[in-house]
Amino acid sequence: MIHPWLADTWQRLVGLGGRLPHALLFVGPEGLGKRDLADTLAARLLCSAPAVDGHACGHCVPCQLRLSGNHPDLLPIVPEADAAPESEGGEGGEGGEGGSGKKKSSQIRIEQIRDLQETLSVTGHQSSRRVIVVDPAEAMNAFTANALLKLLEEPPEGCIFLLVSSAPRRLLPTIRSRCQQWSFSRPADDVVAQWLLGPDAPPADLLALTGGMPLAAQRLAKSGSDALLRRFVKDIAALPAGDPLKLAGQWESWLKSKEALAAGFGMPQLVEWIQRWVTDLASLRLGGRVRFFPGEDGVIAALAQRTSVAAVTNCYNELARIRRVVQHPLNARLMLEDMLLRYARAVTGTRR
Amino acid sequence: MLLLTTTRDALLAPLQSVAGIVEKRHTLPILSNVLIEKHGDQLTLLATDIEIQIRTTTGGHIGGEDTSITVAAKKLQDILRALPSEGEVVVTLDDKRLTVKAGRSRFALQTLPAADYPRMNLPDGDATRFSISQKSFKRQLAQVAYAMAQQDIRYYLNGLLLIADGKELRMVATDGHRLAFASSPLEAEVPRTEVILPRKTVMELARQLADSEDPLEVVLAGNQVVFRFGPIELVSKLIDGKFPDYERVIPQNHQKLLTFERTPLLATLSRVAILTNDKFRGVRLVLGDGTLKIASTNAEQEEAQEELEVDYHGDPLDIGFNVTYLLDVLTNTHEDQIEWRFNDGNSSALVTLPGNDRFKYVVMPMRI
């Protein structure tokens, strides 16, 4: 499926026809539909009779195999953690039961690339055309990326690599230079405004929170994050008057609560929200405008009055540092206390 | 609805011949299934691991309706194997579940639709076809298959080069240290065609082919190869690469000729091999007037030595080999007399059969 804001790109891709390069790198912020675009393109490349608008027909044998998830020439390379839900559905013995077992890797392992090399060394199944989708490409570490590099440099006949990345600077420069880069940025407001009128569009405040990334907002809305967002705003707005240590305790149990787990709401997202809140604060203090929390501009303006430029930018920098370690298994309580104390210091201007 | 009524063995035998290639863990869940097709009195079973596809067709299954469905191959095989061999087996399909009934046992298995099964498209259009006896093809495979590389980074060596040219069928396999070549005559003339069969296909063929004069039909087409023998049709993908030029590797003018009996030399080498270095497996051959001295040492300074009387009257020669490569060729040929040609201690040696240029084995020496 092609999202309205990607329609132009799609037309350009289809227009390339046989001149499509063997490796494409889709680059842009998360929540834009880059993977959807890659999947749609893969479907088109594998379909035996694509429609006039470039989409796969959906009826031919290759399409049927693809739709049932059994196309041998479509090779998605994704981290184990992302692929997990599907494989657990198929009852195949040992794999299914170990739910409490080892945590699934969020990296693309080198074995996956080695298996791919082996698969690609023999000829294709339906034809020689094979499509490899790597998502997210930055999940490859240096060793994995170098293994893939070998394939990118001398691709077997008929192979097309589609790499998807929302952090292209974390890719090896050698990988980047061997792909044709297609960059995507925030969709134009009028296109998104049109889309917001359609069915299952997310509320505007979630769209703003994700920085205008429509699919990221939709994901938040679907997981029921608007209630979480309301609580976050209420708590953080009341903090200057309250006790940061107490709030850290409340938030720790909040992160473990059922509704947070159900929504997939965890520490990374919470840190991101605090960071965006402080960004708005700093931006307003520096004479900019509120970007992520437009509904709360009154609260933010009041807070901005009480801070100094130095304090708020300092707080912003500290949060950026914390965000770097957010994936590490640190003590959640200490991390929250640390963040909230720093924030409280910035907005109240006192040492606590 | 009733699918078929049969005996255990009538279903188990064809299932076992296709289920051997089904892999336990695969990215596509449907590949652990076997496709069962019933058409008239014909029952077709088909399994694939994406690289190879095997299909068997058996007739004489009267009764039951035409349908096609896929079901877990391993489970069906285990069930059939555990059933008593006499008595009737009734297979029915109701509401997407395949039920196997025998005596008082009843098993209901999950199924997946046949349309989702990734079958290989059979090649059409231009193809090189020839026919050869199963026995001859199997023998030729055995003559070279052991020399294939295993998981080599040069992926085109992890397979066997098959060349049909004129009235000749040639097979070549190499791992970079030794090379085996075998050829056999074909009845009809064919245009020159070269393909590289993946290792797994070679192993599967060696397992499935019979030692009989029954014909094996081979179709080499584009990016696939089809083997038909008995009730089985095996379709394999090919390795997409360029095989090294083997003709340049086979030495032409080696002067020193040594003829020996295969069995005594094999026994000697396996004795001497005991005290070789585990990693390099090197043995030293010293060839003098009428004698061949074979010696080995290992890292612990232990030594083995044995002398053979041979029919050799040329210049003396001192040369080292990896004993595994020598044992491989001696165990996989069956003639009594074997010829061995050398040039000097630094160039490759050639093993052939007397009065026959249909088999050649080249092995590189090692410095000891």
Side-chain angles (χ1 to χ4, degrees):
Chain A
M1 159 184 165
I2 289 300
H3 303 289
W5 54 91
L6 292 176
D8 285 352
T9 317
W10 176 247
Q11 283 311 321
R12 270 164 54 215
L13 277 172
V14 170
L16 282 177
R19 288 178 294 117
L20 195 74
H22 78 279
L24 294 171
L25 173 61
F26 293 153
V27 164
E30 219 159 294
L32 262 178
K34 297 187 299 297
R35 173 67 190 270
D36 290 342
L37 183 69
D39 284 343
T40 316
L41 182 61
R44 166 189 161 76
L45 291 171
L46 293 170
C47 178
S48 53
V52 191
D53 62 353
H55 285 276
C57 69
H59 320 295
C60 62
V61 176
C63 280
Q64 213 169 16
L65 287 175
R66 178 179 54 80
L67 291 171
S68 68
N70 287 315
H71 200 303
D73 293 339
L74 175 63
L75 303 153
I77 304 289
V78 295
E80 233 175 45
D82 294 1
E86 285 160 58
S87 62
E88 232 147 299
E91 53 109 41
E94 317 95 290
E97 293 117 48
S100 60
K102 222 172 72 191
K103 203 175 151 223
K104 295 272 189 340
S105 166
S106 60
Q107 286 205 332
I108 295 178
R109 289 171 309 119
I110 192 162
E111 287 80 17
Q112 289 173 274
I113 304 291
R114 292 206 177 121
D115 288 350
L116 178 70
Q117 275 169 338
E118 209 171 296
T119 315
L120 293 184
S121 73
V122 294
T123 43
H125 192 82
Q126 296 285 331
S127 64
S128 69
R129 171 60 54 79
R130 279 157 290 174
V131 184
I132 299 98
V133 180
V134 184
D135 174 43
E138 69 269 15
M140 295 187 289
N141 61 27
F143 302 107
T144 314
N146 276 318
L148 180 71
L149 198 58
K150 187 95 184 109
L151 284 169
L152 285 178
E153 280 171 340
E154 292 171 17
E157 202 191 315
C159 288
I160 293 190
F161 293 83
L162 305 176
L163 280 72
V164 176
S165 177
S166 50
R169 297 228 296 216
R170 278 166 54 199
L171 291 176
L172 289 187
T174 37
I175 291 269
R176 262 179 288 153
S177 71
R178 273 150 190 83
C179 302
Q180 194 180 80
Q181 254 189 59
W182 290 62
S183 304
F184 304 94
S185 48
R186 203 164 83 99
D189 286 339
D190 51 336
V191 182
V192 178
Q194 192 68 37
W195 179 71
L196 279 177
L197 300 176
D200 57 70
D205 55 342
L206 285 179
L207 185 67
L209 176 65
T210 58
M213 296 303 145
L215 296 186
Q218 196 173 39
R219 223 171 293 141
L220 281 183
K222 274 202 184 125
S223 62
S225 295
D226 40 354
L228 298 170
L229 177 64
R230 274 197 299 278
R231 168 157 181 196
F232 169 78
V233 169
K234 192 176 113 245
D235 284 354
I236 201 155
L239 183 62
D243 179 2
L245 295 178
K246 205 169 135 203
L247 182 59
Q250 287 168 357
W251 275 8
E252 192 199 4
S253 45
W254 182 32
L255 284 175
K256 286 184 194 147
S257 70
K258 240 182 235 154
E259 68 253 27
L261 289 178
F265 180 72
M267 186 63 101
Q269 206 173 1
L270 185 60
V271 174
E272 190 178 294
W273 285 5
I274 300 177
Q275 199 184 14
R276 291 195 162 159
W277 177 268
V278 175
T279 309
D280 272 356
L281 202 59
S283 146
L284 203 64
R285 188 73 190 79
L286 292 166
R289 59 184 188 85
V290 172
R291 183 171 160 215
F292 297 110
F293 295 92
E296 312 298 327
D297 50 355
V299 184
I300 294 177
L303 284 169
Q305 290 292 321
R306 308 168 53 168
T307 62
S308 68
V309 173
V312 77
T313 46
N314 199 18
C315 177
Y316 176 82
N317 290 337
E318 281 161 350
L319 282 172
R321 260 200 303 280
I322 291 172
R323 192 168 172 199
R324 247 176 264 160
V325 296
V326 78
Q327 296 287 359
H328 292 249
L330 300 175
N331 184 321
R333 178 71 178 267
L334 289 176
M335 209 161 148
L336 287 170
E337 284 179 358
D338 181 40
M339 268 191 303
L340 291 174
L341 281 171
R342 285 174 198 280
Y343 170 72
R345 201 180 299 151
V347 292
T348 55
T350 54
R351 289 213 151 266
R352 300 179 77 136
Chain B
M1 72 187 173
L2 180 69
L3 209 61
L4 59 127
T5 308
T6 180
T7 59
R8 182 193 81 151
D9 292 340
L11 193 56
L12 185 57
L15 182 64
Q16 268 169 336
S17 59
V18 301
I21 56 161
V22 174
E23 282 185 24
K24 285 180 201 85
R25 294 187 69 83
H26 206 288
T27 41
L28 306 182
I30 201 166
L31 291 187
S32 55
N33 283 13
V34 55
L35 177 71
I36 303 175
E37 254 181 344
K38 175 90 165 54
H39 189 76
D41 71 337
Q42 301 276 313
L43 177 73
T44 304
L45 299 179
L46 185 148
T48 177
D49 76 335
I50 292 302
E51 224 170 280
I52 315 176
Q53 165 180 305
I54 302 189
R55 195 179 79 171
T56 66
T57 306
T58 46
H61 296 276
I62 300 164
E65 287 172 59
D66 289 3
T67 187
S68 52
I69 195 73
T70 78
V71 67
K74 181 80 173 39
K75 289 177 192 160
L76 186 60
Q77 196 182 357
D78 286 351
I79 289 170
L80 289 174
R81 225 187 257 156
L83 286 177
S85 58
E86 59 277 351
E88 202 179 56
V89 176
V90 183
V91 184
T92 54
L93 179 68
D94 292 297
D95 193 24
K96 295 185 180 164
R97 282 169 92 82
L98 188 83
T99 311
V100 179
K101 273 187 226 148
R104 294 183 153 194
S105 321
R106 183 178 160 280
F107 305 87
L109 293 165
Q110 269 194 352
T111 62
L112 285 169
D116 294 351
Y117 202 80
R119 283 187 221 214
M120 285 192 204
N121 293 342
L122 285 189
D124 44 308
D126 286 351
T128 304
R129 293 159 196 275
F130 59 88
S131 180
I132 188 168
S133 85
Q134 289 191 38
K135 189 175 160 191
S136 148
F137 195 85
K138 186 175 178 173
R139 216 180 83 114
Q140 205 181 342
L141 275 183
Q143 279 182 320
V144 299
Y146 56 87
M148 285 188 290
Q150 246 183 86
Q151 296 188 318
D152 198 298
I153 183 80
R154 294 161 292 179
Y155 58 89
Y156 46 84
L157 296 186
N158 302 327
L160 186 146
L161 177 70
L162 189 76
I163 306 175
D165 186 10
K167 285 193 155 189
E168 201 179 16
L169 177 69
R170 285 177 230 146
M171 292 184 193
V172 187
T174 178
D175 65 0
H177 303 287
R178 35 83 178 266
L179 176 145
F181 165 94
S183 79
S184 63
L186 287 177
E187 275 167 24
E189 195 139 334
V190 292
R192 184 181 169 96
T193 318
E194 283 190 33
V195 299
I196 307 177
L197 301 180
R199 188 182 171 85
K200 195 171 175 189
T201 309
V202 175
M203 295 303 173
E204 194 59 29
L205 279 171
R207 197 171 76 88
Q208 301 248 4
L209 286 171
D211 282 312
S212 69
E213 294 296 330
D214 295 338
L216 162 73
E217 194 196 338
V218 183
V219 183
L220 309 174
N223 53 10
Q224 278 173 351
V225 53
V226 185
F227 297 94
R228 292 197 186 92
F229 49 100
I232 297 175
E233 179 191 79
L234 188 152
V235 187
S236 167
K237 293 187 190 176
L238 298 170
I239 292 183
D240 201 3
K242 178 96 185 75
F243 204 82
D245 181 6
Y246 68 92
E247 274 166 13
R248 277 181 38 208
V249 177
I250 299 177
Q252 301 296 334
N253 302 313
H254 276 12
Q255 300 301 326
K256 303 188 177 73
L257 170 67
L258 171 69
T259 310
F260 59 88
E261 301 269 324
R262 186 178 69 91
T263 357
L265 184 69
L266 179 59
T268 307
L269 281 174
S270 18
R271 279 192 293 271
V272 173
I274 300 169
L275 292 187
T276 53
N277 187 315
D278 286 344
K279 202 168 166 204
F280 304 111
R281 308 269 289 152
V283 290
R284 187 166 164 200
L285 275 68
V286 182
L287 203 51
D289 206 19
T291 59
L292 171 63
K293 199 169 81 180
I294 303 176
S296 67
T297 56
N298 64 8
E300 286 92 44
Q301 308 292 325
E302 294 163 319
E303 289 177 10
Q305 207 184 78
E306 191 159 333
E307 258 187 50
L308 287 173
E309 292 201 0
V310 289
D311 177 23
Y312 178 78
H313 302 287
D315 298 331
L317 179 75
D318 187 347
I319 191 167
F321 288 108
N322 182 329
V323 72
T324 318
Y325 298 157
L326 302 182
L327 291 173
D328 270 349
V329 64
L330 294 178
T331 40
N332 285 291
T333 44
H334 301 286
E335 275 73 4
D336 293 335
Q337 294 280 320
I338 289 188
E339 286 181 352
W340 202 348
R341 284 186 174 79
F342 304 95
N343 185 20
D344 58 36
N346 295 321
S347 44
S348 55
L350 176 69
V351 177
T352 51
L353 306 175
N356 175 346
D357 62 352
R358 294 212 171 274
F359 175 77
K360 287 179 184 129
Y361 183 80
V362 182
V363 54
M364 296 304 291
M366 63 193 282
R367 259 188 215 107
I368 294 184

